[in-house]
Amino acid sequence: MDGAWLHTEVIGPDGPGDEPIVLLHGLGVSAASLGPLAGRLARRHEVVSCDLPGFGDSPAPEIWDTARIAEGVRRVLDDRGLARAVLAGHSYGCHVAACLAARHPERVVALVLLSPAFDRRFGSPLTQLLRLTVDATMERPGLVAGGIRDYVRAGPRRVVTTLREASRIPLDDLVAAARCPVLIVRGSRDALTTGRWADELRRSAAAPARVAVVPRAAHALGHEAPGAAAGAIEAFLANLRAHPTSMARDASPPG
């Protein structure tokens, strides 16, 4: 695939399910970081988890930019025969999901942004890394250790280059261009995704958008609070099915 092979894992119910969901992990880590969330969602959905190019088990000799990664994920949809899917990104994966939704809106049922990062008010990429370090003190040690192994495997050059590139891409502009329903999910203790940033993203959406807050959770929602995150996604999609053209916007107070 364009010089790289994207490792994917697919799980789902034994019989027919609801909308297929594609999970896209955050910067430096792998699809394993969203494994617990994938397991919860797979009870009712076909779940496709991708290791993005250069991360996890998807080797890539070159460093891909976000637009190229998004096109790689689109090809995964093609290979799976998925005409449309829910795109659910975590942290940097939100950029990839929103980029794909903006470029190919006809392929996207809805956009789910889990712990979206890169709030421009935080300034430089270094500031983003410092806030991520603060967040790491609130995560389980096993998750942090796994993340460090993934970062080492990806290599510092790839991680830093991708971080710098993502910092220059306004996520709110991508969300505005996506033209599909949007759910933003944040943990109440997340140092990177504040209530204010989540609400800015909600207001930037051109289609109905909602914010869900998971109490006492930090940045790694897909691993640390999979039940609550899956519940928020299921409720959002159920409401979308019931009211496909008139889903009301929810307000969320800045935090």
Side-chain angles (χ1 to χ4, degrees):
M1 180 184 293
D2 197 16
W5 173 71
L6 264 65
H7 174 78
T8 61
E9 293 187 2
V10 182
I11 55 176
D14 293 332
D18 293 328
E19 309 89 344
I21 298 176
V22 178
L23 292 181
L24 305 171
H25 62 79
L27 178 64
V29 294
S30 67
S33 64
L34 298 175
L37 175 60
R40 296 295 184 101
L41 292 172
R43 297 171 184 175
R44 298 185 60 179
H45 304 263
E46 176 182 338
V47 178
V48 181
S49 299
C50 303
D51 280 341
L52 301 180
F55 302 100
D57 289 326
S58 293
E62 302 175 7
I63 298 176
W64 291 30
D65 62 22
T66 299
R68 187 179 176 190
I69 293 174
E71 289 301 317
V73 175
R74 179 188 60 79
R75 294 185 190 181
V76 170
L77 296 181
D78 293 343
D79 291 344
R80 292 294 307 169
L82 299 177
R84 303 179 76 225
V86 176
L87 300 182
H90 174 256
S91 197
Y92 169 67
C94 295
H95 266 66
V96 178
C99 183
L100 177 53
R103 293 164 70 97
H104 300 283
E106 75 284 356
R107 307 298 300 271
V108 183
V109 175
L111 189 60
V112 177
L113 307 178
L114 300 164
S115 308
F118 301 100
D119 181 348
R120 283 174 292 180
R121 294 197 190 186
F122 290 159
S124 69
L126 177 59
T127 303
Q128 301 277 352
L129 282 177
L130 290 175
R131 295 184 76 91
L132 182 61
T133 302
V134 170
D135 182 88
T137 65
M138 296 181 281
E139 308 286 5
R140 295 179 185 178
L143 176 64
V144 175
I148 291 173
R149 287 193 296 270
D150 281 340
Y151 270 66
V152 171
R153 185 178 184 184
R157 180 170 172 267
R158 186 181 302 275
V159 171
V160 171
T161 299
T162 305
L163 173 65
R164 288 174 173 168
E165 191 246 352
S167 297
R168 295 192 295 267
I169 303 173
L171 181 58
D172 46 353
D173 287 353
L174 292 176
V175 170
R179 304 195 303 279
C180 64
V182 180
L183 172 67
I184 301 109
V185 188
R186 59 173 292 265
S188 64
R189 301 169 65 207
D190 191 341
L192 280 82
T193 310
T194 63
R196 173 195 51 74
W197 175 229
D199 198 54
E200 283 187 20
L201 292 172
R202 180 191 65 82
R203 288 186 280 106
S204 71
R210 293 185 167 186
V211 173
V213 180
V214 178
R216 298 179 299 280
H219 194 64
L221 287 175
H223 198 281
E224 299 293 274
I233 294 170
E234 293 284 11
F236 171 73
L237 294 177
N239 193 54
L240 182 58
R241 287 191 293 270
H243 309 285
T245 60
S246 60
M247 193 174 73
R249 292 179 181 268
D250 282 355
S252 178

